[in-house]
Amino acid sequence: MASEVSKGFDKLVHDNRFTIAVLFPLVGTFLLILGSEGYVPAELALNPFLLVAATFVMRLPLIAGLTPLVTRRAAVALCTLTIFTYAVELVGVRTGLPYGEFSYQLALGPMLFGEVPLALPIFYFPLLLNSYLLGLLLLGPRATSRLRRILAGIGIVLVMDLVLDPAAVDLGFWAYVGGGAYYDVPVSNYLGWVFSATIAMSLIELGFHADEVKRRLANCSFMLDDLVSFAILWGVVNGYFGNWIPAALAVGFALTLLRLDRFDFAVGSVVRSRKTKHS
């Protein structure tokens, strides 16, 4: 029964790859930009519940890809990571450690203790899991070392946050006290990510079997589609605000996925198939 549900989930995501990974982030991008500029009512463009719902849809490829790999050990690791996620964010908001002094400027859904988003794992986990998966692909045959896998994941997390944080600050999602040297983001933020990503990657390594993850990656074409969404959404937002280094890094992610044959949406064949049916 569980296997059939998983297969059905895979098919649902696979058959809607382009909609989930490309159309959703594109529509979301324009709504966010227009909302931040006041051209669209904030109640629509920046509605916290719509933001969470749209983000969840873009996470479906990652969720479907990992679901068959979630054993009891993986579930414990993910639960521990969830607790750590809330804890480090609450400490960060209250004390400025480890990321630097910051505060949320927009309620991203219901807020835990009125301070951090209750849906934080939906926003936080993909940075970590996508980084781990991409690291496995980039390492290839060198992914036999646990230390190497953890270090690769940490490095990719940092690059992803170099893309994410400047755009999120410009959109008014959160702000750092006193700004920072990198598009109003302080260096302390990235030092903090070294700390949190090290713990997170270690938990992922303990929870999942790397060989099984690699096999699933090889057989699941859409498993990194959420990273496609990331590159599109945050690349366009950064480009709009003139954040050229983060925008270039987002393009780098897109090109990397293309080189790894992960940006392989068969849009043309779908269109031809529909034309054939209607002819």
Side-chain angles (χ1 to χ4, degrees), residues 10-33:
D10 280 4
K11 187 176 186 307
L12 173 67
V13 173
H14 184 273
D15 291 349
N16 294 279
R17 289 185 70 190
F18 186 76
T19 299
I20 295 171
V22 178
L23 292 184
F24 253 83
L26 279 177
V27 172
T29 298
F30 289 116
L31 279 175
L32 287 173
I33 291 172

Side-chain angles (χ1 to χ4, degrees), residues 66 69-85 121 125 129 203-204 207-208:
L66 287 174
L69 303 176
V70 179
T71 60
R72 183 176 299 177
R73 189 171 83 170
V76 171
L78 291 174
C79 287
T80 305
L81 183 56
T82 300
I83 295 169
F84 171 73
T85 297
F125 276 22
L129 293 168
L203 286 170
I204 292 170
F208 292 90

Side-chain angles (χ1 to χ4, degrees), residues 1-14 64 67-68 216 222:
M1 179 64 180
S3 175
E4 291 302 314
V5 171
S6 180
K7 288 179 181 177
F9 194 8
D10 280 4
K11 187 176 186 307
L12 173 67
V13 173
H14 184 273
T67 294
R216 177 63 171 161
F222 59 75

